[in-house]
Amino acid sequence: MTAQRMAILRAFEEAGPTHPTAETIYALAKRHLPSIALGTVYRNLSKMAEAGEIVKIPVPDAPDRFDMDSKDHMHILCVECGRIYDIDEKNVTVDIKGVPEGVELIRFDVMAKCLCPDCKTK
């Protein structure tokens, strides 16, 4: 494993379950490897997402976020503060209608929007 990949993994560990942006990972990785470049972080995150090691979470009108938990699950996004929460897919029921005959639905991604408890009370 390269020093860059190791620094990125350590950055994820430090970020915890926050679904960090590439910029956040970069800032944390620089603590362990000051010479790491932002482009290197982006390239590694892309490769890790393509390999299924992490999940890239597209966020409308905001930077993509990343999740170290690559098991199937969904996310909800607080529209006020931007926090992303994990939701176990076993707890979600979706009734999809209109799938063309003969098409096998393999996976779908859902990004629900919410107000988190902190933002709701503001």
Side-chain angles (χ1 to χ4, degrees), residues 48-100:
M48 293 167 75
E50 287 172 15
E53 298 169 25
I54 62 172
V55 175
K56 181 179 177 180
I57 307 168
V59 179
D61 303 319
D64 293 334
R65 307 284 275 283
F66 295 89
D67 192 346
M68 280 290 290
D69 183 358
S70 59
K71 296 185 310 256
D72 284 344
H73 64 284
M74 296 179 185
H75 298 99
I76 57 175
L77 168 71
C78 178
V79 296
E80 199 65 34
C81 69
R83 181 172 177 192
I84 295 178
Y85 297 85
D86 291 332
I87 302 294
D88 189 324
E89 286 189 2
K90 295 177 195 128
N91 299 326
V92 177
T93 303
V94 177
D95 185 14
I96 298 177
K97 298 180 179 179
V99 176

Side-chain angles (χ1 to χ4, degrees), residues 97-122:
K97 298 180 179 179
V99 176
E101 188 175 328
V103 170
E104 178 183 358
L105 188 60
I106 297 170
R107 178 174 170 77
F108 61 92
D109 296 308
V110 173
M111 171 66 80
K113 295 180 180 172
C114 69
L115 279 175
C116 72
D118 291 338
C119 293
K120 189 175 172 185
T121 59
K122 288 181 183 175

